[in-house]
């Protein structure tokens, strides 16, 4: 699975995340949450991702 910066992905825990930084093909920073007030930036790995939504 190929993930690029700014892609929207579905995490295996059911949350939707926006990729804000790509460190490698397997390590990313992503914003999760319902909106700017509740966004949380978290580190994720390729194994956390179910699929790319774009």
């Amino acid at each position: 699975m190929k993930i690029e910066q700014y892609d929207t992905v579905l995490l295996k825990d059911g949350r939707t995340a926006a990729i804000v930084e790509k460190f490698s093909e397997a390590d990313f920073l992503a914003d999760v949450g319902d909106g700017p007030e509740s966004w949380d930036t978290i580190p994720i790995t390729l194994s956390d991702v179910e699929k790319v939504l774009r």
Side-chain angles (χ1 to χ4, degrees):
M1 172 177 1
K2 182 97 167 134
I3 299 174
E4 297 295 336
Q5 188 174 11
Y6 307 121
D7 281 351
T8 300
V9 299
L10 178 64
L11 301 178
K12 290 183 178 175
D13 65 8
R15 295 182 291 175
T16 301
I19 304 299
V20 294
E21 189 71 43
K22 178 179 178 179
F23 299 116
S24 71
E25 293 300 319
D27 297 298
F28 312 92
L29 272 183
D31 283 342
V32 295
D34 297 325
E37 302 82 28
S38 66
W39 279 336
D40 191 20
T41 303
I42 61 169
I44 63 169
T45 63
L46 187 60
S47 63
D48 297 320
V49 178
E50 182 72 31
K51 65 180 178 178
V52 177
L53 301 173
R54 293 280 168 192

